[in-house]
Amino acid sequence: MPGTRPSGLPGTIPHWIGGQAVGSADGRTFDVADPVSNKVYAQAAAGSRTEVDRAVTAAEAAFPIWSRLSNRTRATTLNRIANEVEARCEQLAQFESFDTGLPITQARGQARRAAENFRYFADVIVSLGEEAFRQGEEQFSYVVRAPVGVAGLITPWNTPFMLESWKLAPALAAGCTTVLKPAEWTPLSAGLWPQILTAAGLPDGVVNIVHGLGQEAGQALVDHQDVPLISFTGSTDTGRNIVRGSADHLKRTSMELGGKSPVIVFEDADLEAALDSVVFGVFSLNGERCTAGSRVLVQRPVYEAFIRRLAVRAERMKVGPPTDPDTEVGALVHLKHYARVLNYVETGEEEARLVAGGRRPAHLPEGNYLQPAVFADVSRDARIFQEEIFGPVVAVASFEDETEAVELANATQYGLAAYIWTSDLKRGHRIAHAVESGMVWVNSHNVRDLRTPFGGVKSSGLGREGGTHSIAFYTESKIVHVALGDVHTPRFGTGASV
Ligand code: NAD
């Protein structure tokens, strides 16, 4: 039934430190609400420096055991974690959908992806070799990789469980122990990690979870001198703060940040496929997706027709309760975020032409619901063209030729993803190379391959995760040089000439 609470909802969400569920030392908690009723349904422990200290101590204690296991043994545990995630996919999806407002069908897909992240990194770590170099007959050098230590993982509220798995899996595969700080708006699904990890036989202290507010628990993790690495996914402003905070200890950081990704549709494209992709790319996951194609650039001759068809599709999208299997767009994650997105719709109405949506659907008088909004004729300096809205809102503009398409695509501070639609293959490659973004898809929406580098340029991030890039991030490499014969060393201090 729409609006039904999933069974087994906890009333409190504790930290998990050293294999124990614990509250905060000072007893503080924070409210957790669901986005359909906006009513508080649970209290989560509010961690501070004290809990982060305890979690880091537990992670340090577990490090010698976990880091020295063979890659095969760690991979076996990762596969068991994947099994446990799969066994709970339905519960996970229900919790995630209830807490975040994601449509249940899409939450199920994210739960499966979380399991796949563990399976994938189990495979990576057992198949990984090291590099070796030979200088003729004289010297041989080889690389050894060692886990960096206690990894600090800070994650956002969109697809929270899946993004937590995206960091936990490679960190554990690499041999790190971890302290995870989940997003405060959506801590529910993270509350399932303890039973999943315990059932999989992960030793206590290898994963620790500290809930809490970003400025408090998150900041304490960033400031902790014994956490040499921070992997962060979240907004660009927070990312900048974290990089600043990490500078004192020269921490290694990976920053997966915001986006305002362009979709460039040329007149020679398969317009039907492009339309499907545009609609899915910006409105799936409630539009709360870092790689959403939220700026659509359409070549002039097909612009008006494309807008009309996009508007029809947006109006027809099924907005509804997250629990309803027919729902395509659920409830936005939080009342504050809902207000922020509505604010952008208001701004958009002053800046451009609203051609669809942008209103609360009449049949949904309560909850954070919005009919997907399409804005046409958006100028490049408009706020809705420049700023990440992170909701079901798309800005559309026209372009004349390739040069203008690239100019418009690159006209924001962001550079996460880009999508190009054309039937001219040469042009597809040309534009792919010219757009400023970490990832480009040609004639496709965002189809991921876990082996490939994931990340952005400009204000969308620093560094790459995915595949062996993740393992490189969570490990420190050391080069060992070995002489294979006699070393010819200049004999200083002997009085003899060189
Ligand atoms: P956010 O930056 O507000 O919060 C993310 C996390 O950082 C939360 O856990 C929060 O508690 C924590 N945090 C906040 N202040 C902190 C501080 N001072 N020190 C340490 N931690 C702190 O982001 P959000 O609103 O939760 O998530 C949405 C953003 O995430 C969007 O901008 C979206 O584009 C981005 N995102 C990026 C990717 C990517 O891969 N590039 C993926 C998903 C989401």
Side-chain angles (χ1 to χ4, degrees), residues 103-136:
I104 185 68
T105 49
Q106 297 173 35
R108 285 192 185 114
Q110 295 300 318
R112 286 192 295 271
R113 265 192 67 183
E116 177 55 24
N117 284 338
F118 282 94
R119 286 214 194 288
Y120 170 71
F121 280 106
D123 290 347
V124 169
I125 203 69
V126 290
S127 57
L128 205 64
E130 305 281 20
E131 287 171 296
F133 308 82
R134 199 168 71 136
Q135 283 187 35

PDB file of all heavy atoms in Angstrom, residues 103-136:
ATOM      1  N   PRO A 103      11.536   5.828  -5.932  1.00  0.00           N
ATOM      2  CA  PRO A 103      10.558   4.805  -6.320  1.00  0.00           C
ATOM      3  C   PRO A 103      11.111   3.413  -6.014  1.00  0.00           C
ATOM      4  O   PRO A 103      12.296   3.145  -6.266  1.00  0.00           O
ATOM      5  CB  PRO A 103      10.406   5.012  -7.825  1.00  0.00           C
ATOM      6  CG  PRO A 103      10.823   6.425  -8.061  1.00  0.00           C
ATOM      7  CD  PRO A 103      11.873   6.728  -7.047  1.00  0.00           C
ATOM      8  N   ILE A 104      10.250   2.556  -5.525  1.00  0.00           N
ATOM      9  CA  ILE A 104      10.694   1.232  -5.063  1.00  0.00           C
ATOM     10  C   ILE A 104      11.404   0.440  -6.171  1.00  0.00           C
ATOM     11  O   ILE A 104      12.403  -0.241  -5.914  1.00  0.00           O
ATOM     12  CB  ILE A 104       9.513   0.416  -4.458  1.00  0.00           C
ATOM     13  CG1 ILE A 104       9.992  -0.910  -3.879  1.00  0.00           C
ATOM     14  CG2 ILE A 104       8.377   0.192  -5.453  1.00  0.00           C
ATOM     15  CD1 ILE A 104      10.862  -0.810  -2.665  1.00  0.00           C
ATOM     16  N   THR A 105      10.910   0.565  -7.410  1.00  0.00           N
ATOM     17  CA  THR A 105      11.537  -0.216  -8.490  1.00  0.00           C
ATOM     18  C   THR A 105      12.988   0.242  -8.697  1.00  0.00           C
ATOM     19  O   THR A 105      13.877  -0.575  -8.957  1.00  0.00           O
ATOM     20  CB  THR A 105      10.765  -0.031  -9.810  1.00  0.00           C
ATOM     21  OG1 THR A 105      10.564   1.370 -10.001  1.00  0.00           O
ATOM     22  CG2 THR A 105       9.428  -0.740  -9.774  1.00  0.00           C
ATOM     23  N   GLN A 106      13.214   1.539  -8.552  1.00  0.00           N
ATOM     24  CA  GLN A 106      14.568   2.057  -8.748  1.00  0.00           C
ATOM     25  C   GLN A 106      15.450   1.750  -7.531  1.00  0.00           C
ATOM     26  O   GLN A 106      16.652   1.501  -7.664  1.00  0.00           O
ATOM     27  CB  GLN A 106      14.514   3.550  -9.051  1.00  0.00           C
ATOM     28  CG  GLN A 106      13.766   3.830 -10.355  1.00  0.00           C
ATOM     29  CD  GLN A 106      13.539   5.320 -10.617  1.00  0.00           C
ATOM     30  OE1 GLN A 106      14.356   6.165 -10.300  1.00  0.00           O
ATOM     31  NE2 GLN A 106      12.394   5.643 -11.209  1.00  0.00           N
ATOM     32  N   ALA A 107      14.834   1.735  -6.348  1.00  0.00           N
ATOM     33  CA  ALA A 107      15.595   1.392  -5.131  1.00  0.00           C
ATOM     34  C   ALA A 107      16.058  -0.072  -5.199  1.00  0.00           C
ATOM     35  O   ALA A 107      17.145  -0.407  -4.725  1.00  0.00           O
ATOM     36  CB  ALA A 107      14.746   1.629  -3.887  1.00  0.00           C
ATOM     37  N   ARG A 108      15.242  -0.928  -5.804  1.00  0.00           N
ATOM     38  CA  ARG A 108      15.654  -2.343  -5.937  1.00  0.00           C
ATOM     39  C   ARG A 108      16.909  -2.448  -6.802  1.00  0.00           C
ATOM     40  O   ARG A 108      17.831  -3.193  -6.495  1.00  0.00           O
ATOM     41  CB  ARG A 108      14.536  -3.172  -6.577  1.00  0.00           C
ATOM     42  CG  ARG A 108      13.412  -3.436  -5.616  1.00  0.00           C
ATOM     43  CD  ARG A 108      12.437  -4.489  -6.147  1.00  0.00           C
ATOM     44  NE  ARG A 108      11.341  -4.590  -5.220  1.00  0.00           N
ATOM     45  CZ  ARG A 108      10.068  -4.246  -5.475  1.00  0.00           C
ATOM     46  NH1 ARG A 108       9.713  -3.835  -6.678  1.00  0.00           N
ATOM     47  NH2 ARG A 108       9.151  -4.347  -4.538  1.00  0.00           N
ATOM     48  N   GLY A 109      16.919  -1.692  -7.884  1.00  0.00           N
ATOM     49  CA  GLY A 109      18.084  -1.699  -8.780  1.00  0.00           C
ATOM     50  C   GLY A 109      19.338  -1.246  -8.034  1.00  0.00           C
ATOM     51  O   GLY A 109      20.421  -1.801  -8.213  1.00  0.00           O
ATOM     52  N   GLN A 110      19.195  -0.242  -7.175  1.00  0.00           N
ATOM     53  CA  GLN A 110      20.350   0.269  -6.434  1.00  0.00           C
ATOM     54  C   GLN A 110      20.850  -0.765  -5.429  1.00  0.00           C
ATOM     55  O   GLN A 110      22.050  -0.877  -5.182  1.00  0.00           O
ATOM     56  CB  GLN A 110      19.978   1.582  -5.725  1.00  0.00           C
ATOM     57  CG  GLN A 110      19.641   2.722  -6.683  1.00  0.00           C
ATOM     58  CD  GLN A 110      20.802   3.067  -7.596  1.00  0.00           C
ATOM     59  OE1 GLN A 110      21.946   3.120  -7.172  1.00  0.00           O
ATOM     60  NE2 GLN A 110      20.513   3.290  -8.872  1.00  0.00           N
ATOM     61  N   ALA A 111      19.922  -1.520  -4.826  1.00  0.00           N
ATOM     62  CA  ALA A 111      20.330  -2.547  -3.854  1.00  0.00           C
ATOM     63  C   ALA A 111      21.146  -3.628  -4.576  1.00  0.00           C
ATOM     64  O   ALA A 111      22.180  -4.088  -4.078  1.00  0.00           O
ATOM     65  CB  ALA A 111      19.102  -3.153  -3.179  1.00  0.00           C
ATOM     66  N   ARG A 112      20.712  -3.995  -5.779  1.00  0.00           N
ATOM     67  CA  ARG A 112      21.460  -5.011  -6.541  1.00  0.00           C
ATOM     68  C   ARG A 112      22.851  -4.490  -6.919  1.00  0.00           C
ATOM     69  O   ARG A 112      23.835  -5.209  -6.909  1.00  0.00           O
ATOM     70  CB  ARG A 112      20.672  -5.418  -7.791  1.00  0.00           C
ATOM     71  CG  ARG A 112      19.464  -6.310  -7.493  1.00  0.00           C
ATOM     72  CD  ARG A 112      18.907  -6.918  -8.757  1.00  0.00           C
ATOM     73  NE  ARG A 112      18.366  -5.915  -9.666  1.00  0.00           N
ATOM     74  CZ  ARG A 112      17.102  -5.472  -9.637  1.00  0.00           C
ATOM     75  NH1 ARG A 112      16.241  -5.958  -8.758  1.00  0.00           N
ATOM     76  NH2 ARG A 112      16.683  -4.554 -10.485  1.00  0.00           N
ATOM     77  N   ARG A 113      22.888  -3.202  -7.239  1.00  0.00           N
ATOM     78  CA  ARG A 113      24.191  -2.619  -7.602  1.00  0.00           C
ATOM     79  C   ARG A 113      25.157  -2.623  -6.425  1.00  0.00           C
ATOM     80  O   ARG A 113      26.364  -2.757  -6.583  1.00  0.00           O
ATOM     81  CB  ARG A 113      24.011  -1.191  -8.107  1.00  0.00           C
ATOM     82  CG  ARG A 113      23.913  -1.120  -9.615  1.00  0.00           C
ATOM     83  CD  ARG A 113      24.023   0.283 -10.107  1.00  0.00           C
ATOM     84  NE  ARG A 113      25.341   0.869  -9.902  1.00  0.00           N
ATOM     85  CZ  ARG A 113      25.653   2.121 -10.200  1.00  0.00           C
ATOM     86  NH1 ARG A 113      24.746   2.921 -10.719  1.00  0.00           N
ATOM     87  NH2 ARG A 113      26.867   2.601 -10.002  1.00  0.00           N
ATOM     88  N   ALA A 114      24.604  -2.458  -5.230  1.00  0.00           N
ATOM     89  CA  ALA A 114      25.462  -2.470  -4.032  1.00  0.00           C
ATOM     90  C   ALA A 114      26.131  -3.842  -3.911  1.00  0.00           C
ATOM     91  O   ALA A 114      27.334  -3.942  -3.640  1.00  0.00           O
ATOM     92  CB  ALA A 114      24.634  -2.151  -2.792  1.00  0.00           C
ATOM     93  N   ALA A 115      25.353  -4.906  -4.132  1.00  0.00           N
ATOM     94  CA  ALA A 115      25.925  -6.260  -4.062  1.00  0.00           C
ATOM     95  C   ALA A 115      26.988  -6.413  -5.148  1.00  0.00           C
ATOM     96  O   ALA A 115      28.082  -6.954  -4.912  1.00  0.00           O
ATOM     97  CB  ALA A 115      24.823  -7.300  -4.229  1.00  0.00           C
ATOM     98  N   GLU A 116      26.687  -5.919  -6.324  1.00  0.00           N
ATOM     99  CA  GLU A 116      27.607  -6.050  -7.457  1.00  0.00           C
ATOM    100  C   GLU A 116      28.934  -5.330  -7.171  1.00  0.00           C
ATOM    101  O   GLU A 116      29.999  -5.797  -7.580  1.00  0.00           O
ATOM    102  CB  GLU A 116      26.932  -5.498  -8.725  1.00  0.00           C
ATOM    103  CG  GLU A 116      27.769  -5.494  -9.984  1.00  0.00           C
ATOM    104  CD  GLU A 116      28.361  -6.857 -10.360  1.00  0.00           C
ATOM    105  OE1 GLU A 116      27.805  -7.884  -9.952  1.00  0.00           O
ATOM    106  OE2 GLU A 116      29.408  -6.869 -11.050  1.00  0.00           O
ATOM    107  N   ASN A 117      28.876  -4.202  -6.461  1.00  0.00           N
ATOM    108  CA  ASN A 117      30.121  -3.495  -6.123  1.00  0.00           C
ATOM    109  C   ASN A 117      31.062  -4.407  -5.328  1.00  0.00           C
ATOM    110  O   ASN A 117      32.276  -4.423  -5.566  1.00  0.00           O
ATOM    111  CB  ASN A 117      29.826  -2.217  -5.323  1.00  0.00           C
ATOM    112  CG  ASN A 117      29.300  -1.100  -6.212  1.00  0.00           C
ATOM    113  OD1 ASN A 117      29.508  -1.098  -7.425  1.00  0.00           O
ATOM    114  ND2 ASN A 117      28.591  -0.152  -5.614  1.00  0.00           N
ATOM    115  N   PHE A 118      30.507  -5.172  -4.388  1.00  0.00           N
ATOM    116  CA  PHE A 118      31.359  -6.075  -3.596  1.00  0.00           C
ATOM    117  C   PHE A 118      31.898  -7.220  -4.453  1.00  0.00           C
ATOM    118  O   PHE A 118      33.074  -7.574  -4.367  1.00  0.00           O
ATOM    119  CB  PHE A 118      30.600  -6.615  -2.381  1.00  0.00           C
ATOM    120  CG  PHE A 118      30.518  -5.593  -1.281  1.00  0.00           C
ATOM    121  CD1 PHE A 118      29.416  -4.764  -1.166  1.00  0.00           C
ATOM    122  CD2 PHE A 118      31.566  -5.419  -0.397  1.00  0.00           C
ATOM    123  CE1 PHE A 118      29.357  -3.792  -0.184  1.00  0.00           C
ATOM    124  CE2 PHE A 118      31.524  -4.450   0.597  1.00  0.00           C
ATOM    125  CZ  PHE A 118      30.403  -3.632   0.698  1.00  0.00           C
ATOM    126  N   ARG A 119      31.043  -7.787  -5.290  1.00  0.00           N
ATOM    127  CA  ARG A 119      31.503  -8.892  -6.146  1.00  0.00           C
ATOM    128  C   ARG A 119      32.614  -8.406  -7.075  1.00  0.00           C
ATOM    129  O   ARG A 119      33.610  -9.081  -7.292  1.00  0.00           O
ATOM    130  CB  ARG A 119      30.364  -9.409  -7.027  1.00  0.00           C
ATOM    131  CG  ARG A 119      29.394 -10.212  -6.274  1.00  0.00           C
ATOM    132  CD  ARG A 119      28.783 -11.357  -7.054  1.00  0.00           C
ATOM    133  NE  ARG A 119      27.639 -11.812  -6.306  1.00  0.00           N
ATOM    134  CZ  ARG A 119      27.729 -12.489  -5.164  1.00  0.00           C
ATOM    135  NH1 ARG A 119      28.901 -12.843  -4.669  1.00  0.00           N
ATOM    136  NH2 ARG A 119      26.638 -12.828  -4.507  1.00  0.00           N
ATOM    137  N   TYR A 120      32.371  -7.232  -7.636  1.00  0.00           N
ATOM    138  CA  TYR A 120      33.329  -6.709  -8.600  1.00  0.00           C
ATOM    139  C   TYR A 120      34.701  -6.483  -7.945  1.00  0.00           C
ATOM    140  O   TYR A 120      35.731  -6.916  -8.464  1.00  0.00           O
ATOM    141  CB  TYR A 120      32.792  -5.411  -9.230  1.00  0.00           C
ATOM    142  CG  TYR A 120      33.856  -4.734 -10.033  1.00  0.00           C
ATOM    143  CD1 TYR A 120      34.286  -5.287 -11.228  1.00  0.00           C
ATOM    144  CD2 TYR A 120      34.493  -3.598  -9.553  1.00  0.00           C
ATOM    145  CE1 TYR A 120      35.316  -4.717 -11.947  1.00  0.00           C
ATOM    146  CE2 TYR A 120      35.524  -3.023 -10.257  1.00  0.00           C
ATOM    147  CZ  TYR A 120      35.927  -3.575 -11.452  1.00  0.00           C
ATOM    148  OH  TYR A 120      36.960  -3.016 -12.145  1.00  0.00           O
ATOM    149  N   PHE A 121      34.718  -5.815  -6.781  1.00  0.00           N
ATOM    150  CA  PHE A 121      36.020  -5.522  -6.173  1.00  0.00           C
ATOM    151  C   PHE A 121      36.680  -6.778  -5.601  1.00  0.00           C
ATOM    152  O   PHE A 121      37.908  -6.828  -5.458  1.00  0.00           O
ATOM    153  CB  PHE A 121      35.913  -4.382  -5.155  1.00  0.00           C
ATOM    154  CG  PHE A 121      35.891  -3.035  -5.846  1.00  0.00           C
ATOM    155  CD1 PHE A 121      34.724  -2.297  -5.941  1.00  0.00           C
ATOM    156  CD2 PHE A 121      37.033  -2.543  -6.455  1.00  0.00           C
ATOM    157  CE1 PHE A 121      34.706  -1.080  -6.618  1.00  0.00           C
ATOM    158  CE2 PHE A 121      37.025  -1.327  -7.131  1.00  0.00           C
ATOM    159  CZ  PHE A 121      35.857  -0.589  -7.212  1.00  0.00           C
ATOM    160  N   ALA A 122      35.885  -7.808  -5.307  1.00  0.00           N
ATOM    161  CA  ALA A 122      36.484  -9.098  -4.936  1.00  0.00           C
ATOM    162  C   ALA A 122      37.260  -9.638  -6.138  1.00  0.00           C
ATOM    163  O   ALA A 122      38.393 -10.121  -6.008  1.00  0.00           O
ATOM    164  CB  ALA A 122      35.394 -10.081  -4.511  1.00  0.00           C
ATOM    165  N   ASP A 123      36.664  -9.538  -7.316  1.00  0.00           N
ATOM    166  CA  ASP A 123      37.340 -10.004  -8.532  1.00  0.00           C
ATOM    167  C   ASP A 123      38.593  -9.182  -8.812  1.00  0.00           C
ATOM    168  O   ASP A 123      39.639  -9.718  -9.180  1.00  0.00           O
ATOM    169  CB  ASP A 123      36.411  -9.879  -9.760  1.00  0.00           C
ATOM    170  CG  ASP A 123      35.276 -10.889  -9.714  1.00  0.00           C
ATOM    171  OD1 ASP A 123      35.352 -11.827  -8.893  1.00  0.00           O
ATOM    172  OD2 ASP A 123      34.305 -10.727 -10.489  1.00  0.00           O
ATOM    173  N   VAL A 124      38.468  -7.864  -8.645  1.00  0.00           N
ATOM    174  CA  VAL A 124      39.614  -6.996  -8.953  1.00  0.00           C
ATOM    175  C   VAL A 124      40.810  -7.385  -8.101  1.00  0.00           C
ATOM    176  O   VAL A 124      41.923  -7.540  -8.596  1.00  0.00           O
ATOM    177  CB  VAL A 124      39.254  -5.506  -8.689  1.00  0.00           C
ATOM    178  CG1 VAL A 124      40.507  -4.620  -8.732  1.00  0.00           C
ATOM    179  CG2 VAL A 124      38.250  -5.008  -9.714  1.00  0.00           C
ATOM    180  N   ILE A 125      40.563  -7.577  -6.807  1.00  0.00           N
ATOM    181  CA  ILE A 125      41.707  -7.735  -5.906  1.00  0.00           C
ATOM    182  C   ILE A 125      42.407  -9.074  -6.106  1.00  0.00           C
ATOM    183  O   ILE A 125      43.624  -9.174  -5.940  1.00  0.00           O
ATOM    184  CB  ILE A 125      41.283  -7.480  -4.427  1.00  0.00           C
ATOM    185  CG1 ILE A 125      42.489  -7.083  -3.592  1.00  0.00           C
ATOM    186  CG2 ILE A 125      40.553  -8.645  -3.814  1.00  0.00           C
ATOM    187  CD1 ILE A 125      43.041  -5.723  -3.921  1.00  0.00           C
ATOM    188  N   VAL A 126      41.675 -10.089  -6.520  1.00  0.00           N
ATOM    189  CA  VAL A 126      42.384 -11.361  -6.747  1.00  0.00           C
ATOM    190  C   VAL A 126      43.089 -11.401  -8.107  1.00  0.00           C
ATOM    191  O   VAL A 126      43.981 -12.213  -8.312  1.00  0.00           O
ATOM    192  CB  VAL A 126      41.481 -12.617  -6.605  1.00  0.00           C
ATOM    193  CG1 VAL A 126      41.086 -12.849  -5.169  1.00  0.00           C
ATOM    194  CG2 VAL A 126      40.287 -12.564  -7.515  1.00  0.00           C
ATOM    195  N   SER A 127      42.669 -10.538  -9.004  1.00  0.00           N
ATOM    196  CA  SER A 127      43.307 -10.606 -10.328  1.00  0.00           C
ATOM    197  C   SER A 127      44.397  -9.545 -10.495  1.00  0.00           C
ATOM    198  O   SER A 127      45.037  -9.461 -11.536  1.00  0.00           O
ATOM    199  CB  SER A 127      42.252 -10.448 -11.430  1.00  0.00           C
ATOM    200  OG  SER A 127      41.566  -9.246 -11.241  1.00  0.00           O
ATOM    201  N   LEU A 128      44.597  -8.770  -9.443  1.00  0.00           N
ATOM    202  CA  LEU A 128      45.536  -7.649  -9.557  1.00  0.00           C
ATOM    203  C   LEU A 128      46.988  -8.125  -9.504  1.00  0.00           C
ATOM    204  O   LEU A 128      47.348  -8.933  -8.640  1.00  0.00           O
ATOM    205  CB  LEU A 128      45.277  -6.712  -8.371  1.00  0.00           C
ATOM    206  CG  LEU A 128      45.651  -5.262  -8.547  1.00  0.00           C
ATOM    207  CD1 LEU A 128      44.812  -4.632  -9.647  1.00  0.00           C
ATOM    208  CD2 LEU A 128      45.434  -4.523  -7.240  1.00  0.00           C
ATOM    209  N   GLY A 129      47.817  -7.639 -10.408  1.00  0.00           N
ATOM    210  CA  GLY A 129      49.254  -7.906 -10.325  1.00  0.00           C
ATOM    211  C   GLY A 129      49.975  -6.626  -9.948  1.00  0.00           C
ATOM    212  O   GLY A 129      49.355  -5.584  -9.785  1.00  0.00           O
ATOM    213  N   GLU A 130      51.268  -6.708  -9.760  1.00  0.00           N
ATOM    214  CA  GLU A 130      52.048  -5.507  -9.480  1.00  0.00           C
ATOM    215  C   GLU A 130      52.926  -5.206 -10.692  1.00  0.00           C
ATOM    216  O   GLU A 130      53.153  -6.077 -11.526  1.00  0.00           O
ATOM    217  CB  GLU A 130      52.940  -5.715  -8.252  1.00  0.00           C
ATOM    218  CG  GLU A 130      52.201  -6.158  -7.008  1.00  0.00           C
ATOM    219  CD  GLU A 130      51.492  -5.030  -6.281  1.00  0.00           C
ATOM    220  OE1 GLU A 130      51.236  -3.978  -6.885  1.00  0.00           O
ATOM    221  OE2 GLU A 130      51.179  -5.233  -5.093  1.00  0.00           O
ATOM    222  N   GLU A 131      53.457  -4.003 -10.736  1.00  0.00           N
ATOM    223  CA  GLU A 131      54.324  -3.653 -11.861  1.00  0.00           C
ATOM    224  C   GLU A 131      55.775  -4.051 -11.568  1.00  0.00           C
ATOM    225  O   GLU A 131      56.203  -4.012 -10.412  1.00  0.00           O
ATOM    226  CB  GLU A 131      54.299  -2.137 -12.072  1.00  0.00           C
ATOM    227  CG  GLU A 131      53.024  -1.613 -12.660  1.00  0.00           C
ATOM    228  CD  GLU A 131      53.006  -0.109 -12.628  1.00  0.00           C
ATOM    229  OE1 GLU A 131      53.008   0.453 -11.519  1.00  0.00           O
ATOM    230  OE2 GLU A 131      52.998   0.505 -13.696  1.00  0.00           O
ATOM    231  N   ALA A 132      56.490  -4.400 -12.613  1.00  0.00           N
ATOM    232  CA  ALA A 132      57.925  -4.661 -12.466  1.00  0.00           C
ATOM    233  C   ALA A 132      58.655  -3.998 -13.628  1.00  0.00           C
ATOM    234  O   ALA A 132      58.099  -3.855 -14.722  1.00  0.00           O
ATOM    235  CB  ALA A 132      58.191  -6.160 -12.459  1.00  0.00           C
ATOM    236  N   PHE A 133      59.889  -3.565 -13.379  1.00  0.00           N
ATOM    237  CA  PHE A 133      60.662  -2.842 -14.391  1.00  0.00           C
ATOM    238  C   PHE A 133      62.082  -3.416 -14.408  1.00  0.00           C
ATOM    239  O   PHE A 133      62.642  -3.706 -13.357  1.00  0.00           O
ATOM    240  CB  PHE A 133      60.759  -1.350 -14.018  1.00  0.00           C
ATOM    241  CG  PHE A 133      59.435  -0.699 -13.729  1.00  0.00           C
ATOM    242  CD1 PHE A 133      58.833  -0.826 -12.467  1.00  0.00           C
ATOM    243  CD2 PHE A 133      58.771   0.047 -14.689  1.00  0.00           C
ATOM    244  CE1 PHE A 133      57.626  -0.234 -12.184  1.00  0.00           C
ATOM    245  CE2 PHE A 133      57.551   0.642 -14.413  1.00  0.00           C
ATOM    246  CZ  PHE A 133      56.974   0.509 -13.155  1.00  0.00           C
ATOM    247  N   ARG A 134      62.644  -3.566 -15.579  1.00  0.00           N
ATOM    248  CA  ARG A 134      64.013  -4.079 -15.639  1.00  0.00           C
ATOM    249  C   ARG A 134      64.877  -3.096 -16.410  1.00  0.00           C
ATOM    250  O   ARG A 134      64.488  -2.629 -17.490  1.00  0.00           O
ATOM    251  CB  ARG A 134      64.015  -5.437 -16.338  1.00  0.00           C
ATOM    252  CG  ARG A 134      65.263  -6.222 -16.051  1.00  0.00           C
ATOM    253  CD  ARG A 134      65.084  -7.623 -16.521  1.00  0.00           C
ATOM    254  NE  ARG A 134      65.096  -7.649 -17.980  1.00  0.00           N
ATOM    255  CZ  ARG A 134      65.748  -8.545 -18.694  1.00  0.00           C
ATOM    256  NH1 ARG A 134      66.393  -9.513 -18.101  1.00  0.00           N
ATOM    257  NH2 ARG A 134      65.718  -8.507 -20.004  1.00  0.00           N
ATOM    258  N   GLN A 135      66.041  -2.752 -15.834  1.00  0.00           N
ATOM    259  CA  GLN A 135      66.978  -1.907 -16.583  1.00  0.00           C
ATOM    260  C   GLN A 135      68.109  -2.812 -17.041  1.00  0.00           C
ATOM    261  O   GLN A 135      69.075  -3.041 -16.303  1.00  0.00           O
ATOM    262  CB  GLN A 135      67.557  -0.820 -15.682  1.00  0.00           C
ATOM    263  CG  GLN A 135      66.608   0.322 -15.417  1.00  0.00           C
ATOM    264  CD  GLN A 135      67.312   1.442 -14.646  1.00  0.00           C
ATOM    265  OE1 GLN A 135      68.493   1.705 -14.840  1.00  0.00           O
ATOM    266  NE2 GLN A 135      66.559   2.106 -13.795  1.00  0.00           N
ATOM    267  N   GLY A 136      67.976  -3.350 -18.210  1.00  0.00           N
ATOM    268  CA  GLY A 136      68.992  -4.256 -18.747  1.00  0.00           C
ATOM    269  C   GLY A 136      69.283  -5.371 -17.758  1.00  0.00           C
ATOM    270  O   GLY A 136      68.391  -5.919 -17.112  1.00  0.00           O
TER     271      GLY A 136
END
